[in-house]
Amino acid sequence: MRIDASLVLGTTISVHSRQMEVRARGAIIAAMGMVQFSRYEWSPVPNGRPDGIQWCETRDLGISLASVILVNGLSSISGSRHGSFESLMLETRLLATALDNTGGSANGALHRTRAYDCSSHHIKTFIVTSAGLGLLTASIESLIAQGKIGPLQINHCDLMSAVSSRGPKGGYSRPDLLIDLPGYREMVCEAKGRSGGSGRTTMAIRESLKKLHLWASINRYVGSSLALSWAAIRKNETFVNLYHTNPEKVVELIPQSTKEGQEASARAVWDSVDLRPERLELLDLEREWERLVDELETPNMAQLREDPLYWSAPNPPRGENYLADTPVRGAWASLGRDGRSVFVGVFQRAPEADASMSMQRQRLLSIAENTVSPLDIAAGGRLVFAVAQDAEFATWQRLRQWIR
């Protein structure tokens, strides 16, 4: 995934107040999920003394929930030739059901829902882990759109490979984003999510910063700037803290004497990763074929084997199988009795550059103005997601009005 700051250049951006709302059918609907975003400058210390952490700013920031979901979807299919629409829809519904910006919070604050609190531990772990990455990228997207990115001057962000090496045993660091900075410089960023917290810098955060520093001392990104985001998702609010090193300075590495024996452990983890794509069993392919054979666009076995993500997605209603002049398959799914719904779509191929830039620019403008409509849409690569706050907006016709 790439969040590109250049898409908003040359566009007039009007930033409105924190409590911006939009009217729809006579009702007031929260414009977007608000989070409290704080930025800190982090100075790693390699000799065992406490790291230096200096607060820089705190602001209320409106983010797109669809963007949070998009990043998780792109991460799920990254680096794999195979995919399952059913799996993608399940993950999307979990995230969209657990996170909300309507009801139970002031000013449309993004918060976790009762559905999250009633879930099992492993489901909660998946949700906060996935949301941690999405909240970081959605926050960066909003900062870029509103011209408030500050001293970082981020050009764009890319997801790191899912098989990037972990730190040594006990380190547990695996950065998620590679951020491109001016002057051909890079910043490596790890994103974490938790279901509680106060937004303050805790010992757990300091420990994660130490582990990221250790990881950065033994891999091919030596010398890159570092960043850690920490999202605390509460019952009525969400905090997103970003800790980053000074992008103008080289990070001082942990001395070799303190990491001997650890580098070999980290390399062993990397070398043990099986990079071969997972093979689909013939029985699975036959079941997919049986489910799709009666649909309007019927793939052959070669197509299903080559692109199971696209061909396993439901076929849209007749005449609705194109968005952004590109073939698309997908479906809407209800998120409960309140009328909220989520859409998951898969393009047969990534839309042309002009169409992709138009879709992203339209979303960035909405974010910049804090006027995200009750139909919140985000697209990237071959995926498109939408969150509708009301059943009236959960239609293919509404999608086509937004995505030309």
Side-chain angles (χ1 to χ4, degrees), residues 195-351:
S195 60
S198 62
R200 296 189 178 95
T201 301
T202 63
M203 289 302 299
I205 293 175
R206 288 184 176 274
E207 184 63 23
S208 292
L209 290 170
K210 286 287 188 184
K211 291 174 180 178
L212 178 59
H213 187 198
L214 176 60
W215 178 91
S217 300
I218 57 176
N219 67 84
R220 67 187 183 93
Y221 294 101
V222 168
S224 297
S225 299
L226 303 176
L228 172 77
S229 72
W230 192 279
I233 308 165
R234 295 161 56 93
K235 290 184 177 180
N236 58 359
E237 60 190 341
T238 294
F239 299 96
V240 180
N241 290 359
L242 178 63
Y243 302 84
H244 65 85
T245 61
N246 187 332
E248 302 295 334
K249 297 180 180 179
V250 176
V251 174
E252 188 176 357
L253 304 181
I254 296 176
Q256 182 68 35
S257 59
T258 65
K259 62 178 182 179
E260 287 179 351
Q262 297 176 336
E263 184 173 358
S265 175
R267 189 177 296 113
V269 172
W270 171 250
D271 292 341
S272 67
V273 175
D274 187 356
L275 300 179
R276 294 172 298 179
E278 180 183 358
R279 292 184 61 84
L280 289 180
E281 297 295 332
L282 181 59
L283 180 59
D284 294 333
L285 290 171
E286 291 174 347
R287 287 172 178 168
E288 292 287 353
W289 170 260
E290 291 172 359
R291 190 177 70 81
L292 292 167
V293 70
D294 294 326
E295 295 185 352
L296 181 61
E297 292 184 36
T298 304
N300 56 43
M301 286 298 292
Q303 290 173 317
L304 186 57
R305 187 185 297 272
E306 180 65 26
D307 190 2
L309 177 62
Y310 176 76
W311 291 110
S312 65
N315 205 39
R318 186 181 298 272
E320 303 287 356
N321 56 336
Y322 275 80
L323 290 175
D325 296 323
T326 306
V328 66
R329 299 168 76 97
W332 284 96
S334 172
L335 297 178
R337 298 179 182 177
D338 60 359
R340 295 179 71 236
S341 300
V342 66
F343 175 80
V344 179
V346 183
F347 291 110
Q348 189 171 29
R349 60 182 183 276

Side-chain angles (χ1 to χ4, degrees), residues 106-158:
N107 301 313
L110 191 69
H111 60 281
R112 69 177 195 254
T113 64
R114 186 174 180 275
Y116 171 90
D117 293 330
C118 294
S119 300
S120 61
H121 175 73
H122 68 281
I123 294 297
K124 291 178 179 177
T125 300
F126 163 77
I127 291 171
V128 296
T129 300
S130 302
L133 175 59
L135 286 167
L136 168 63
T137 55
S139 296
I140 291 176
E141 178 184 61
S142 291
L143 289 169
I144 291 174
Q146 297 180 20
K148 298 176 180 178
I149 198 62
L152 293 181
Q153 297 300 310
I154 293 173
N155 288 335
H156 62 253
C157 307
D158 289 303

